Amino acid sequence: MKRRDFVKNTALSSGVISLGGAFSYASSDHNQGKAPNSFNLNYAPHLGMFKQHAGEDPIDQINFMADQGFNAFEDNGLMNRDISLQNKIGETLAKRGMTMGVFVVDKGGNMANTLAAGKKEHVDIFLDGCKKAVEVAKRVDAKWMTVVPGGFERNFPIGVQDGNVIEALKRGAEIFEPHGLVMVLEPLSDSPDLYLQNSDQTYMICKGVDSPSCKILFDIYHMQKTEGNIIHNMGLTWDEIAYIQVGDNPGRNEPTTGEINYKNVFKFIHNQGFNGVLGMEHGNSQSGKDGETAVIEAYKKVDQFL
């Protein structure tokens, strides 16, 4: 979308990106308080999304997010960050009254160590990742961790693969349950070789695991690509959905840049009484500060569903 002039005018008139607003996060006094939530839902940006305004420092970026009215944050790569930074992130989120969204359980990558194969060595790597994830979650007060089971095991019938995945996830759930943590399974559209691709399939797996610590991460971008009919399919699987991610299609950028009617989708989610986190797992359609401002303005626009 060609929104450069609109974005500039909006920023000047609204003060979204102003010396008194966007850059005041650097004040130590300002950091002590919680910025008011500007949105009806809990949208969670990620590191790098606003670095042209906030700079490279992760803590400054989180404070910038809070100053813009976002009250949640997610970080897929959190497990691979230094423990000192993990602690700082946790402290900053607590200070700003922000909720920690998902981070990814490290099991070697989306396609690696597939649980569908039923191999002990693959399961052991997954379970080790779950144990380490518990410690990371404590540092940032996280509740949800993303799990991707891996690729298909083409030599096995699909029912056997389903059984192998369910059994492995049951063991993972046993690790998370005592801590009140939830692994959220993410069906993806990235490759036809990925085992988990559809919402109904993920629903079936969660029912098989039968644990409060194993639920669905419904990524709207991926599900638009693989199955469409977003609101209907969310409704069918709603009782197993614990986390939602956002991205428009095509392009995987902010809402309003693609074909998804996010105002209607967000209205449905709100009407369902959802009070969890919606991760902004997408890129910026425009570069630079204008592009970052466009992301904020896009969320303000689609959030006006009441």
Side-chain angles (χ1 to χ4, degrees):
M1 296 179 65
K2 296 181 180 179
R3 304 179 62 206
R4 185 176 300 273
D5 293 336
F6 170 77
V7 168
K8 286 181 179 178
N9 292 335
T10 304
L12 288 172
S13 63
S14 67
V16 174
I17 307 297
S18 68
L19 290 176
F23 296 105
S24 61
Y25 64 87
S27 163
S28 59
D29 291 337
H30 183 77
N31 285 348
Q32 297 302 315
K34 175 183 176 182
N37 181 16
S38 299
F39 302 100
N40 293 303
L41 294 170
N42 302 317
Y43 308 114
H46 55 80
L47 295 180
M49 182 165 273
F50 301 121
K51 69 178 181 179
Q52 296 302 319
H53 280 97
E56 295 288 343
D57 182 78
I59 304 305
D60 287 346
Q61 291 184 40
I62 293 171
N63 279 314
F64 177 86
M65 297 169 193
D67 287 346
Q68 305 314 307
F70 296 105
N71 66 352
F73 166 75
E74 69 175 21
D75 183 15
N76 284 345
L78 183 68
M79 284 192 70
N80 295 318
R81 303 194 189 280
D82 291 340
I83 291 177
S84 60
L85 179 56
Q86 293 174 5
N87 287 328
K88 288 179 182 177
I89 288 173
E91 293 165 3
T92 304
L93 295 176
K95 186 183 296 182
R96 300 308 305 268
M98 298 176 74
T99 300
M100 181 69 207
V102 292
F103 62 88
V104 176
V105 173
D106 186 5
K107 58 172 279 295
N110 286 349
M111 287 295 299
N113 302 309
T114 175
L115 302 182
K119 295 182 178 179
K120 181 179 183 302
E121 57 267 33
H122 293 182
V123 176
D124 287 346
I125 290 170
F126 164 63
L127 296 178
D128 182 63
C130 292
K131 293 173 184 176
K132 292 177 179 177
V134 170
E135 298 307 310
V136 174
K138 292 177 182 177
R139 298 181 190 121
V140 296
D141 194 23
K143 181 176 182 178
W144 306 278
M145 287 74 61
T146 304
V147 169
V148 177
F152 282 107
E153 180 56 57
R154 300 291 188 184
N155 294 326
F156 291 167
I158 190 63
V160 172
Q161 295 182 63
D162 292 341
N164 289 339
V165 170
I166 289 170
E167 287 303 307
L169 293 175
K170 281 184 177 180
R171 296 181 62 186
E174 290 173 355
I175 294 171
F176 289 130
E177 281 180 7
H179 306 280
L181 302 178
V182 183
M183 58 179 168
V184 284
L185 310 181
E186 183 176 17
L188 299 172
S189 63
D190 295 330
S191 168
D193 291 323
L194 281 162
Y195 164 81
L196 201 60
Q197 298 186 34
N198 295 91
S199 61
D200 63 325
Q201 175 196 16
T202 313
Y203 184 85
M204 178 270 293
I205 295 296
C206 288
K207 290 299 185 185
V209 176
D210 191 24
S211 167
S213 288
C214 182
K215 297 296 179 181
I216 296 173
L217 190 171
F218 196 106
D219 188 309
I220 297 171
Y221 162 77
H222 284 297
M223 293 302 91
Q224 175 70 2
K225 290 180 66 179
T226 59
E227 60 191 28
N229 212 5
I230 294 297
I231 291 175
H232 174 74
N233 288 332
M234 289 188 84
L236 289 177
T237 59
W238 186 258
D239 65 308
E240 294 292 338
I241 295 174
Y243 198 93
I244 297 168
Q245 286 182 325
V246 176
D248 217 335
N249 181 63
R252 199 173 187 178
N253 290 314
E254 70 270 15
T256 74
T257 59
E259 65 189 358
I260 302 174
N261 188 337
Y262 264 108
K263 183 177 286 189
N264 279 355
V265 173
F266 287 160
K267 181 179 181 180
F268 168 80
I269 292 169
H270 182 271
N271 288 344
Q272 292 290 105
F274 185 75
N275 59 4
V277 173
L278 294 90
M280 297 160 59
E281 197 187 35
H282 57 74
N284 299 358
S285 64
Q286 304 175 45
S287 61
K289 290 185 177 181
D290 285 347
E292 295 178 355
T293 307
V295 170
I296 298 169
E297 290 303 315
Y299 276 89
K300 285 188 173 185
K301 180 177 180 180
V302 296
D303 190 66
Q304 294 175 1
F305 49 74
L306 294 180

